[in-house]
Amino acid sequence: RWAVTVYRMLSGQMRLSESTRLASAAPQVAASLRLARNGLQVRRAGTAPIVLSFGIPRAQVLESLRFRQAPQTSTNGECGAGPVDFAQWQDGVSLLFQHDRFGGWVLSGRNTTIGTTDGIRIGTTLAELRKKRGFRLERTTLGHEFTVGAISGIVNGTGARARVTDLWAGLSCAFR
């Protein structure tokens, strides 16, 4: 796939004046992604969700996410659990892999469209979180850190209107 600019002269002739190769396009499939305490859920229109659990091979996870644009990849060799490979998308979703296995996910940034299977997303208020079963809040070196079951995150304060700014589950590479 290419983005091109074509100049059409008054004589009718055309000339390519600019071209840029685009990243390969993912297949156009109506699908959505949700984050879960034990991995991910992918839902394609008209089908039951596909569960991608922590521990499955990286190739299987990335193949299931081909409906999204290709991720940027990187490695951090200094994580407490050992080297971690990342697949990161511009919308704030990052997946963590260790020993070629799916280990965790992180959601950060301003993405308010992707959430967890129980309705937590960036922007969820602390008042809403407090209603969740298993909710805990504590002050850590990361800030005001909460847990709801196996899902953790950061809120930007302790008042009822404080909002979630980051979410994660599974393997993490947070330096405390």
Side-chain angles (χ1 to χ4, degrees), residues 95-142:
L95 303 184
L96 290 72
F97 300 94
Q98 195 169 49
H99 308 295
D100 237 11
R101 298 282 181 181
F102 179 33
W105 55 259
V106 174
L107 179 64
S108 58
R110 296 185 176 151
N111 188 326
T112 59
T113 60
I114 296 175
T116 67
T117 54
D118 65 345
I120 303 171
R121 60 187 69 240
I122 302 298
T124 297
T125 66
L126 187 54
E128 293 170 300
L129 286 176
R130 289 186 188 281
K131 296 176 188 175
K132 304 280 184 192
R133 190 161 137 178
F135 170 80
R136 286 191 352 243
L137 179 68
E138 64 181 298
R139 180 84 170 132
T140 71
T141 57
L142 299 176

Side-chain angles (χ1 to χ4, degrees), residues 138-159:
E138 64 181 298
R139 180 84 170 132
T140 71
T141 57
L142 299 176
H144 301 289
E145 190 172 339
F146 72 88
T147 56
V148 175
I151 295 174
S152 299
I154 303 293
V155 289
N156 61 4
T158 56

Side-chain angles (χ1 to χ4, degrees), residues 7-172:
Y7 177 72
R8 184 175 188 164
M9 295 177 255
L10 292 175
S11 66
Q13 291 180 321
M14 293 187 208
R15 183 181 54 155
L16 179 66
S17 61
E18 185 178 320
S19 65
T20 305
R21 187 176 186 141
L22 302 175
S24 63
Q28 297 300 314
V29 176
S32 63
L33 174 66
R34 290 184 12 171
L35 309 168
R37 61 180 171 76
N38 61 345
L40 303 172
Q41 279 189 4
V42 174
R43 182 180 296 264
R44 289 184 169 76
T47 65
I50 297 168
V51 177
L52 304 171
S53 299
F54 295 142
I56 66 173
R58 174 196 331 231
Q60 183 179 347
V61 174
L62 295 178
E63 178 63 27
S64 296
L65 296 175
R66 286 199 55 214
F67 67 92
R68 307 187 94 221
Q69 291 187 346
Q72 298 291 317
T73 59
S74 61
T75 299
N76 186 334
E78 298 181 9
C79 293
V84 173
D85 297 322
F86 296 87
Q88 300 169 300
W89 286 265
Q90 289 183 356
D91 63 3
V93 174
S94 296
L95 303 184
L96 290 72
F97 300 94
Q98 195 169 49
H99 308 295
D100 237 11
R101 298 282 181 181
F102 179 33
W105 55 259
V106 174
L107 179 64
S108 58
R110 296 185 176 151
N111 188 326
T112 59
T113 60
I114 296 175
T116 67
T117 54
D118 65 345
I120 303 171
R121 60 187 69 240
I122 302 298
T124 297
T125 66
L126 187 54
E128 293 170 300
L129 286 176
R130 289 186 188 281
K131 296 176 188 175
K132 304 280 184 192
R133 190 161 137 178
F135 170 80
R136 286 191 352 243
L137 179 68
E138 64 181 298
R139 180 84 170 132
T140 71
T141 57
L142 299 176
H144 301 289
E145 190 172 339
F146 72 88
T147 56
V148 175
I151 295 174
S152 299
I154 303 293
V155 289
N156 61 4
T158 56
R161 293 185 181 193
R163 295 194 179 272
V164 172
T165 60
D166 299 270
L167 288 167
W168 64 87
L171 177 66
S172 125

